[in-house]
Amino acid sequence: MARTASLSGFPEWLPEERLVEMHVLDTLRRVFELHGFSSIETRAVETVGQLLRKGEIDKEVYGLSRLQEEEGDEAKTGKADPHALALHFDLTVPFARYVVENAGYLAFPFRRYQIQKVWRGERPQEGRAREFTQADIDVVGDGDLPFRYDVEIALVIAEALNALPIPDFRLRINNRKLAEGFYRGIGLTDTAGVLRSIDKLEKIGPDKVSALLQSELGATREQAEAALKLAGIRTEDTSFVEQVRALGVTDELLEEGLSELEQVIDAAVQRAPGKVVADLSIARGLDYYTGTVVETVLVGHEQLGSICSGGRYDALASKGNRKFPGVGLSIGVTRLVSRILSQDLAKASRSVPTAVLVTLNNDESWDAAQDVAALLRSRGISTEVAAKAEKFGKQIKFADRRGIPFVWFTDDDGKHQVKDIRTGEQVSAAPETWMPPEEDLQVQVDRT
């Protein structure tokens, strides 16, 4: 990718790179729809109040304003106006609003997938952009949502990621009930604060997390050590249950979380072996998660960060006394595609969708060439027609520069031939029946 980014944090792809991204998106759509998820799209903007209501993330939000505001339009108070508009920073909060507003038209449990751009005002770096594409799946219930959907969501995501041209991956799964119950059991009451500190474990290390727990949350050294011991448990099977109980902490919420996490891991061991681990250091920073939490890393590319994350939220969406609990996961498509391209993990078989270039004998043959192209397109063969009746050598060079594998010729007697310019093989053909090899009919994206 020998390109210069004209605006940092706002990636743009060359045509052959966009084909890789489209392959990723099409693969995700296919898997999601095979599992019965319906596609929706929400608006790009929400009110600031809506975006900030479940956590202090105002530094990440891009606010909207007109270039020519009328006098008095905006009071410079130094605080975010809750009625002002801003670009959404994820798809979960807008989806919660969408569910509440459309609850009378939806059949619950409602299964949705959503693939859209989102915006975050943070410093661009490896794996982080200011404008990027996410692909979410969620199941939302009305009043209650069986825990079995937590298990299903993890399995669907494992299947979707397994279909992509990416390295091996691991879904690292924890349960907030387990963590919060444990913290309560050792006497730490600000469980949300402990979770936020534990969430920094990989960034700052255990010593600094321990210091944070003691200085900011009033934990004793022993309490901090116990919280870090819990976060150090990681297994590829359900043996984490015994390891947690060996720590000697008892709490009703802890037991509930242990049971739920055990169900997820047990199902994954059977249906997605080697793809899921119980990792009790996973906390997730946003406040709205209430149970299962997930982060996903590429094996050998852990420094990239999580490529897919999410979890259970029981209180994000509500309307009066009516609750809409849900569970969902979000794939960072742009982060994945950036790594695929930068590490040359996969390539498109050609740089354009076009499989055939129909040449021109002379300028008067353009109409006849269009007829040939129409016949080929009617059978699903991507075709374009040369713009000028140049020497055939120049038309062939044009096809080669474009990455078009086949060139079509029609002589003055109406006989047709097609040439594979990669091999030089040229054969007689009829536009009504000729087909390219199956691997050339559509652009293929394969692991390198």
Side-chain angles (χ1 to χ4, degrees):
M1 295 191 299
R3 296 178 288 129
T4 300
S6 59
L7 193 59
S8 180
F10 296 86
E12 294 177 333
W13 309 126
L14 294 172
E16 56 268 34
E17 296 169 337
R18 173 64 171 163
L19 286 169
V20 173
E21 182 182 44
M22 290 301 296
H23 171 77
V24 170
L25 295 174
D26 290 342
T27 300
L28 295 177
R29 287 190 192 99
R30 184 179 70 252
V31 174
F32 295 163
E33 291 182 2
L34 281 173
H35 287 269
F37 289 84
S38 299
S39 176
I40 69 163
E41 182 171 292
T42 57
R43 64 199 184 208
V45 300
E46 301 285 343
T47 65
V48 170
Q50 178 72 25
L51 290 175
L52 302 187
R53 70 188 186 92
K54 285 293 180 180
E56 293 299 323
I57 39 71
D58 53 297
K59 292 181 181 179
E60 296 182 354
V61 172
Y62 276 111
L64 296 183
S65 63
R66 301 194 307 278
L67 291 177
Q68 295 181 329
E69 292 178 352
E70 297 177 9
E71 188 175 346
D73 268 358
E74 185 177 323
K76 302 297 183 181
T77 63
K79 294 184 179 180
D81 176 2
H83 302 293
L85 298 180
L87 295 170
H88 56 218
F89 65 87
D90 77 351
L91 300 179
T92 304
V93 173
F95 176 55
R97 189 261 314 155
Y98 175 94
V99 168
V100 170
E101 293 182 356
N102 295 283
Y105 304 96
L106 303 176
F108 293 97
F110 178 52
R111 304 162 72 89
R112 87 77 157 92
Y113 78 89
Q114 188 172 350
I115 302 176
Q116 281 184 243
K117 292 285 184 81
V118 299
W119 295 266
R120 293 184 189 176
E122 54 189 359
R123 182 174 65 87
Q125 53 187 298
E126 174 72 12
R128 290 187 179 273
R130 291 172 172 169
E131 177 184 69
F132 54 98
T133 300
Q134 286 188 333
D136 287 23
I137 58 170
D138 287 78
V139 181
V140 172
D142 184 359
D144 70 297
L145 184 71
F147 176 74
R148 189 158 286 171
Y149 286 112
D150 291 41
V151 181
E152 182 184 356
I153 284 283
L155 295 177
V156 172
I157 285 293
E159 181 179 330
L161 292 176
N162 210 41
L164 298 178
I166 59 175
D168 199 9
F169 60 88
R170 293 293 182 274
L171 272 71
R172 303 164 63 191
I173 305 181
N174 195 9
N175 190 291
R176 279 209 172 183
K177 294 176 185 176
L178 187 164
E180 291 181 14
F182 185 89
Y183 304 148
R184 286 192 333 194
I186 61 174
L188 294 175
T189 55
D190 185 1
T191 56
V194 179
L195 282 167
R196 282 192 292 271
S197 296
I198 294 295
D199 196 38
K200 300 173 183 177
L201 189 58
E202 290 189 350
K203 292 181 181 179
I204 65 176
D207 291 341
K208 290 184 178 179
V209 169
S210 178
L212 277 177
L213 291 172
Q214 294 176 64
S215 63
E216 296 186 1
L217 297 171
T220 65
R221 183 182 297 274
E222 292 74 19
Q223 287 172 324
E225 287 179 356
L228 287 170
K229 283 182 181 178
L230 180 74
I233 296 174
R234 180 173 180 169
T235 69
E236 295 185 357
D237 53 26
T238 58
S239 60
F240 69 90
V241 176
E242 293 178 3
Q243 293 186 37
V244 172
R245 290 191 172 134
L247 297 177
V249 177
T250 58
D251 182 271
E252 185 178 340
L253 189 62
L254 166 62
E255 289 300 321
E256 186 178 340
L258 268 176
S259 174
E260 290 184 356
L261 184 57
E262 184 178 25
Q263 291 178 59
V264 175
I265 300 301
D266 184 55
V269 167
Q270 298 178 49
R271 298 186 178 276
K275 301 300 182 184
V276 173
V277 296
D279 187 336
L280 275 57
S281 69
I282 300 303
R284 301 295 299 146
L286 293 173
D287 293 340
Y288 54 69
Y289 292 114
T290 56
T292 303
V293 284
V294 181
E295 290 190 355
T296 310
V297 294
L298 296 179
V299 176
H301 302 260
E302 288 82 2
Q303 74 281 6
L304 183 65
S306 180
I307 59 160
C308 172
S309 58
R312 177 81 175 214
Y313 47 91
D314 286 327
L316 183 62
S318 61
K319 187 175 185 180
N321 293 326
R322 193 176 178 187
K323 305 290 185 183
F324 301 97
V327 60
L329 289 172
S330 174
I331 296 174
V333 174
T334 301
R335 178 175 291 190
L336 265 183
V337 172
S338 296
R339 182 48 59 108
I340 291 171
L341 297 175
S342 66
Q343 300 294 311
D344 201 26
L345 299 174
K347 278 189 175 180
S349 57
R350 56 180 185 262
S351 57
V352 293
T354 312
V356 179
L357 174 73
V358 180
T359 62
L360 299 180
N361 293 343
N362 50 59
D363 286 335
E364 288 71 35
S365 64
W366 188 83
D367 282 339
Q370 288 289 349
D371 292 339
V372 170
L375 285 169
L376 294 173
R377 293 181 191 126
S378 71
R379 291 181 294 107
I381 305 170
S382 179
T383 307
E384 56 185 272
V385 176
K388 294 190 293 184
E390 299 179 302
K391 291 181 178 179
F392 285 137
K394 285 190 174 182
Q395 295 185 66
I396 291 172
K397 283 184 179 179
F398 171 79
D400 188 41
R401 285 198 309 272
R402 289 269 290 154
I404 302 171
F406 297 97
V407 177
W408 192 279
F409 304 96
T410 305
D411 62 25
D412 294 334
D413 296 331
K415 294 180 179 179
H416 305 279
Q417 291 189 322
V418 64
K419 181 175 185 175
D420 184 337
I421 64 173
R422 300 164 299 184
T423 65
E425 181 183 9
Q426 185 166 326
V427 297
S428 297
E432 299 87 357
T433 58
W434 178 83
M435 289 292 291
E438 186 176 351
E439 64 269 19
D440 291 321
L441 183 59
Q442 304 290 338
V443 176
Q444 306 295 315
V445 174
D446 299 308
R447 290 178 171 87
T448 55

